[in-house]
Amino acid sequence: MAGETILVLNGPNLNLLGVREPEIYGNETLAEIEEACLERCAELELRLDFRQSNHEGELVTWIQDARGNAAAIIINAAAFSHTSVAIHDALKFAELPVIEVHLSNIFKREPFRHASYISTVADGIICGLGSQGYLLALDALWRLLHGNDEET
Ligand code: CA2
């Protein structure tokens, strides 16, 4: 069965997805996004560890623990993307492939969302494609981990 573990981290308020602001973030709940990621991981023979926290320190601890336990990280740090040097430092320390995901196109929104502390430590960034961004990130990581010579 499943091979490498992909840690998918979700930051503050993403537990509210599907409940409010569907015009910005879509209709899907975070549980539905997790389910779609699980299905894609099954196809790619990856193991999924999908988490959400409203607490910066908890996200930092999970990133620290990923070193040696996960093969790569997908992170939507939500509002912490725009504020957290601590998450930036933890991702740097983890020395793992990192893909930053945002549901919305942060560059089409308020100027304070245009800068992300995650982007400078990420291998790739996907934004504006809704929940599809998580699935694209899984596909991209599979290729990063296995090279470009095999087709899925
Ligand atoms: O577009 C994204 O994925 C964001 O990371 C979402 C964050 C926002 O602060 C970032 O700038 C962009 C906000 C997540 C909060 O999600 C909510 C969902 C439903 C209702 C209220 C907030």
Side-chain angles (χ1 to χ4, degrees):
M1 232 286 301
E4 301 105 327
T5 298
I6 309 298
L7 179 62
V8 181
L9 294 179
N10 295 282
N13 296 310
L14 285 167
N15 54 314
L16 299 176
L17 278 182
V19 180
R20 289 176 43 208
E21 303 197 70
E23 65 287 358
I24 301 176
Y25 300 119
N27 289 308
E28 276 174 286
T29 64
L30 197 61
E32 287 166 340
I33 294 175
E34 178 176 8
E35 193 53 42
C37 287
L38 270 172
E39 280 174 27
R40 182 59 57 92
C41 279
E43 288 162 11
L44 298 173
E45 297 190 349
L46 295 170
R47 204 182 148 267
L48 181 71
D49 186 353
F50 192 99
R51 304 177 186 206
Q52 187 276 332
S53 179
N54 291 326
H55 304 279
E56 185 177 17
E58 190 163 39
L59 290 162
V60 167
T61 300
W62 288 343
I63 295 165
Q64 287 180 7
D65 292 347
R67 194 180 161 135
N69 290 312
I73 298 173
I74 295 170
I75 182 163
N76 182 351
F80 290 150
S81 313
H82 317 300
T83 62
S84 180
V85 177
I87 291 176
H88 167 103
D89 286 347
L91 287 169
K92 208 167 173 178
F93 169 80
E95 292 184 322
L96 292 170
V98 172
I99 300 195
E100 176 180 15
V101 170
H102 295 284
L103 296 159
S104 63
N105 179 354
I106 53 175
F107 301 102
K108 228 177 164 182
R109 302 184 63 195
E110 305 95 319
F112 67 83
R113 296 186 203 275
H114 296 180
S116 163
Y117 283 99
I118 313 301
S119 301
T120 51
V121 287
D123 295 283
I125 305 161
I126 299 168
C127 77
L129 299 176
S131 62
Q132 190 196 181
Y134 288 76
L135 306 182
L136 293 171
L138 287 168
D139 291 345
L141 280 177
W142 191 93
R143 283 176 187 274
L144 254 175
L145 295 170
H146 295 98
N148 293 320
D149 49 353
E150 282 184 66
E151 289 301 321
T152 51

